[in-house]
Amino acid sequence: MKQKPDLSFWKLWNLSFGFFGVQIAYALQSANISRIFRTLGADPHDLSFFWILPPLMGILVQPIVGTLSDRTWTHLGRRIPYLFVGAAVAVAVMCLLPNSGSLGLGLSSVMIFGLLMLMLLDTSINMAMQPFKMLVGDMVNERQKAKAYSIQSFLCNAGSIVGFLFPFFFTWIGLKNVAAEGVVPDSVIWSFYIGAAILILCVIYTTMKVKEWPPQEYAEYNSIAGNSGDSGKSGDSGKSGNWLTLLRNAPAAFWRIGLVQFFCWAAFLYMWTYVVDAVSLTVWDTADSKTEAYQTAGNWTGVLYAIQALGSVVWATLIPRFSNIKTAYSVSLLLGALGFALIPFCHDQYLQILPFLLIGCAWAAMLACPFTLVTNALQGYGHMGAYLGLFNGTICLPQIIAALCGGTILKLVGSNQSTMMLVAGALLVAGAACVLKINKK
């Protein structure tokens, strides 16, 4: 098998640049879904159920995209066509979702329409996001992968900063941050419109700048040990492509990293679900979604998310400096756990900046470390796209389980959304402990 060549910084950058636009869309979804459904009239104890659909669609879509793209060859490449289709659907849905409350529907109909749009939005974002991870796995050698995924993490968090700040920014320039009961404010609606425009522009840039290897060249760089690999199978031959077979043959590191992922993504699911209410309760002493204070808290939570992303950008540049990636991973998760634990005790809105900076450290590690470890462990296994699609189950499944349990756990902690941040912190501590069980090969 030929050694993959070193890529220049800008080639590594171009491989992941479209992630900037995709992450704006993902940030708008993450920061505003709970706010949108609370504004539409959802009960806090039912709120976590609305978060089942995004990871459920992810666990279904990403393995399919990974497997199909392993077998796809077009003049645009094997991964980019899926990126482009996913982005196009996401743009359409981003223009519809925030208008759910403006269609004159009854409460139940609004909720069903909103859920349908959320399902389509997350499906399309997942479809657009997965190809970037695969492109790095396909085209970057092992020595540069940590750098490549760190660049991806940087762009991811830069896009997050923009998406998170949009509602606050549009309120600042004069768009209304309050609306009639059950209607989403203009500041949120226009955030989704502008985010959709940036997304499609970034994807067009990636399509123009990135040229995937043709089948024969791909096979030369990605052939399986003991198998010459032909251009039609692109080095992914040699083992059955059946998902169950692939999972049985997966290295132990695949499963151990997945266990860490379970605790981490459950923790962040509870943050996305309850943090607007937690910040509103802790700082503004209200969780009533009909009040102006609640909508102000929603905007400020977007600012805090941006601060988290900024912390992630800075921390992502430090992760490669650790001599041991497992140490970087574990320390980052412990810092994030401390951040979650501090949220209920920071009663000034500006004091909330500190915990979100710490949470950003965990987020940077979650984006960079698992894929560095798992793609290195999968060298020589073939079916990289299918494996990374299956690995996405370690992101989606914990969110589904956490969403199903969210209402029950909320009742157990006294129906206090702020206390759910302590639950999230405990989950990250468990994840940090599990990092120690990972074998790097």
Side-chain angles (χ1 to χ4, degrees):
M1 181 174 68
K2 288 176 60 177
Q3 177 65 35
K4 295 177 185 177
D6 284 346
L7 300 179
S8 68
F9 172 83
W10 289 112
K11 286 185 177 180
L12 294 173
W13 175 275
N14 289 338
L15 279 176
S16 295
F17 180 74
F19 219 119
F20 177 79
V22 173
Q23 195 62 26
I24 289 178
Y26 189 71
L28 286 168
Q29 173 186 288
S30 300
N32 293 285
I33 288 304
S34 286
R35 178 183 180 182
I36 287 172
F37 281 102
R38 289 280 280 123
T39 301
L40 295 176
D43 183 272
H45 292 89
D46 297 330
L47 200 57
S48 66
F49 293 120
F50 294 101
W51 284 91
I52 293 174
L53 279 176
L56 179 61
M57 298 314 299
I59 204 171
L60 294 174
V61 171
Q62 294 215 32
I64 294 173
V65 171
T67 300
L68 290 178
S69 65
D70 279 344
R71 303 169 182 171
T72 296
W73 296 102
T74 71
H75 70 282
L76 291 175
R78 64 194 322 219
R79 315 298 188 187
I80 288 176
Y82 295 90
L83 161 65
F84 200 86
V85 171
V89 175
V91 166
V93 177
M94 288 174 72
C95 294
L96 292 172
L97 175 60
N99 289 295
S100 299
S102 306
L103 302 176
L105 303 174
L107 179 60
S108 60
S109 297
V110 166
M111 292 297 172
I112 292 171
F113 180 80
L115 279 171
L116 177 61
M117 291 298 101
L118 176 58
M119 179 183 71
L120 290 174
L121 177 60
D122 201 79
T123 299
S124 56
I125 289 176
N126 274 296
M127 190 172 180
M129 188 181 297
Q130 186 72 351
F132 291 108
K133 301 171 186 175
M134 297 177 193
L135 284 170
V136 173
D138 287 346
M139 303 182 69
V140 179
N141 61 41
E142 184 172 335
R143 190 173 63 83
Q144 286 192 303
K145 272 182 183 169
K147 182 177 180 180
Y149 280 121
S150 292
I151 291 172
Q152 193 168 101
S153 179
F154 171 85
L155 288 166
C156 173
N157 287 292
S160 294
I161 291 172
V162 174
F164 290 143
L165 286 176
F166 269 168
F168 182 86
F169 172 76
F170 286 125
T171 300
W172 180 70
I173 65 174
L175 291 183
K176 291 183 179 179
N177 194 45
V178 292
E181 184 175 344
V183 176
V184 177
D186 286 346
S187 59
V188 176
I189 292 174
W190 277 95
S191 296
F192 276 77
Y193 289 169
I194 302 301
I198 295 174
L199 168 58
I200 198 64
L201 289 174
C202 287
V203 169
I204 290 172
Y205 174 90
T206 298
T207 304
M208 294 174 61
K209 290 291 185 179
V210 175
K211 182 175 177 58
E212 296 185 65
W213 291 323
Q216 184 175 354
E217 189 173 2
Y218 179 91
E220 292 174 355
Y221 287 120
N222 293 277
S223 294
I224 310 304
N227 186 331
S228 60
D230 58 60
S231 61
K233 292 184 180 180
S234 64
D236 284 336
S237 56
K239 294 188 180 76
S240 169
N242 180 278
W243 291 347
L244 292 177
T245 302
L246 292 176
L247 289 174
R248 283 198 299 268
N249 292 328
F254 181 94
W255 298 104
R256 291 173 180 174
I257 298 165
L259 182 60
V260 179
Q261 293 272 86
F262 180 89
F263 291 112
C264 293
W265 287 94
F268 273 79
L269 186 281
Y270 287 143
M271 181 184 76
W272 297 326
T273 305
Y274 299 110
V275 76
V276 175
D277 284 12
V279 170
S280 188
L281 278 170
T282 304
V283 179
W284 280 272
D285 198 30
T286 181
D288 185 352
S289 62
K290 300 180 181 66
T291 63
E292 184 176 354
Y294 183 87
Q295 297 300 335
T296 300
N299 278 2
W300 185 248
T301 301
V303 174
L304 294 174
Y305 273 134
I307 289 167
Q308 171 202 315
L310 182 60
S312 295
V313 168
V314 175
W315 191 253
T317 65
L318 299 178
I319 288 176
R321 297 177 183 269
F322 280 80
S323 59
N324 187 317
I325 192 170
K326 286 172 57 178
T327 302
Y329 199 1
S330 185
V331 168
S332 301
L333 297 183
L334 290 174
L335 290 173
L338 177 60
F340 279 127
L342 287 174
I343 289 176
F345 303 102
C346 296
H347 297 285
D348 181 90
Q349 68 184 92
Y350 298 103
L351 285 178
Q352 290 282 347
I353 291 174
L354 174 60
F356 278 82
L357 283 172
L358 295 173
I359 293 169
C361 297
W363 184 243
M366 287 167 59
L367 293 176
C369 297
F371 285 97
T372 299
L373 289 166
V374 81
T375 54
N376 287 344
L378 288 171
Q379 291 299 319
Y381 275 74
H383 302 283
M384 181 68 76
Y387 267 120
L388 290 183
L390 291 168
F391 186 69
N392 187 65
T394 67
I395 295 175
C396 300
L397 187 60
Q399 293 181 68
I400 294 170
I401 295 172
L404 289 171
C405 299
T408 301
I409 295 175
L410 180 60
K411 290 178 182 177
L412 291 174
V413 298
S415 296
N416 189 319
Q417 292 94 321
S418 296
T419 309
M420 292 298 291
M421 300 301 100
L422 300 179
V423 174
L427 288 167
L428 279 191
V429 171
C434 291
V435 171
L436 302 177
K437 297 294 184 180
I438 298 172
N439 294 323
K440 290 200 292 182
K441 288 290 184 181

